Amino acid sequence: VKYLQQKLLENTKDLSHNRELATHGRRAARETLDMVQRSELADSFAMDESARSMAELGVYTWQMNEKTKSDFKKGKTPYALTDDLYLAPENLFPEMSGSHPDELKEFVLKGRKAMEDSLVSTWGKKRSEARELSKKHIKATFDIGHANVWRKYFKSKPGESLDSRDDRFNKWLLTKTQELVDEGIVGHIHISDNYGFNDDEHLVAGDGNAPIKEFVRQAKKAGLSE
């Protein structure tokens, strides 16, 4: 009888322990499921956070633009704006988010949309006016040298010569830059040269292989002033 009582006590303790483990497991499973449901991909999070930041800075840029014009009219400052102020994030290197022309475009467009929504909800602007203000005060700085570094990731086709691959890359890049300037994404440009296979050496224009002449021609045709 004592032996059976001891075994019963041990079994009761084991059952209690197993119930605790099961309860803990269910709790951990619910927490894991909740974490998965609330999780977000890093690139999506970065894009949303960048859009929010650009919207805030875009609104600030708009305010400073209006204040500067007002101060000049009132004689508070001798400086008159020749062009409207705008926020202009720059494309950096391929290893960094926002450096690809498509990513840069998406950053600007999402930033504009977030600013537009803010101007409507917080500042009482009409949707059409808010949209125009966001286009005016959020643009991009495009560095042709930084974009040329994508060349090192451009894969050759079977039997393709290096010159042919470079020509194909230049066509690809200029198609992307044409899209950016045509759609009013670019407000400012940086000109430097490199060879596109390592880092940006910041060479004098013409000393590397970036399609600078063609890019400048696109920018001028789109109305970007020197």
Side-chain angles (χ1 to χ4, degrees):
V1 172
K2 288 183 178 180
Y3 173 78
L4 292 176
Q5 288 175 337
Q6 180 63 32
K7 285 298 180 181
L8 179 61
L9 179 61
E10 290 175 359
N11 288 338
T12 301
K13 289 182 178 179
D14 287 343
L15 286 172
S16 177
H17 178 65
N18 289 336
R19 281 197 297 269
E20 290 178 2
L21 287 177
T23 301
H24 175 73
R26 286 193 294 271
R27 184 183 302 114
R30 285 196 300 269
E31 291 176 353
T32 300
L33 179 61
D34 181 58
M35 181 178 66
V36 170
Q37 292 174 338
R38 290 186 292 106
S39 64
E40 187 177 358
L41 293 175
D43 56 348
S44 298
F45 178 79
M47 185 67 71
D48 291 342
E49 286 297 298
S50 296
R52 182 185 59 80
S53 296
M54 281 194 286
E56 293 177 357
L57 290 170
V59 169
Y60 178 76
T61 303
W62 161 63
Q63 291 175 328
M64 290 300 99
N65 191 78
E66 297 307 301
K67 182 179 184 303
T68 303
K69 289 181 177 179
S70 176
D71 287 349
F72 177 74
K73 288 181 179 180
K74 295 177 181 178
K76 294 182 178 180
T77 176
Y79 305 106
L81 288 177
T82 55
D83 297 296
D84 287 310
L85 302 176
Y86 57 84
L87 175 69
E90 180 181 355
N91 63 308
L92 293 178
F93 303 109
E95 295 77 17
M96 303 180 72
S97 180
S99 67
H100 191 284
D102 291 345
E103 290 179 338
L104 183 65
K105 177 181 175 181
E106 187 177 6
F107 271 119
V108 170
L109 292 179
K110 287 198 171 184
R112 286 176 175 177
K113 183 60 171 63
M115 178 180 172
E116 176 187 326
D117 292 341
S118 176
L119 289 173
V120 171
S121 61
T122 305
W123 299 92
K125 297 291 183 181
K126 293 182 178 179
R127 179 66 63 176
S128 57
E129 181 184 4
R131 187 175 297 114
E132 290 304 312
L133 286 173
S134 68
K135 288 181 181 179
K136 181 189 295 185
H137 297 295
I138 297 182
K139 299 184 181 182
T141 295
F142 194 84
D143 190 310
I144 188 64
H146 292 168
N148 194 56
V149 181
W150 278 96
R151 189 182 300 269
K152 65 181 179 181
Y153 295 111
F154 210 69
K155 295 182 179 180
S156 298
K157 294 182 177 180
E160 185 178 37
S161 68
L162 182 59
D163 287 342
S164 295
R165 192 205 69 164
D166 282 345
D167 288 342
R168 187 163 56 87
F169 172 82
N170 288 343
K171 290 179 181 178
W172 170 82
L173 179 56
L174 290 170
T175 298
K176 293 297 182 182
T177 55
Q178 186 69 65
E179 180 181 323
L180 293 177
V181 297
D182 284 348
E183 296 185 21
I185 301 296
V186 178
H188 185 67
I189 63 175
H190 284 173
I191 301 296
S192 66
D193 214 343
N194 56 57
Y195 292 106
F197 60 80
N198 193 10
D199 297 322
D200 184 14
E201 294 93 352
H202 284 93
L203 303 176
V204 175
D207 285 354
N209 58 9
I212 292 175
K213 288 183 179 180
E214 296 85 349
F215 173 60
V216 171
R217 193 176 298 118
Q218 288 177 345
K220 285 186 175 181
K221 190 174 181 180
L224 293 174
S225 58
E226 297 181 359

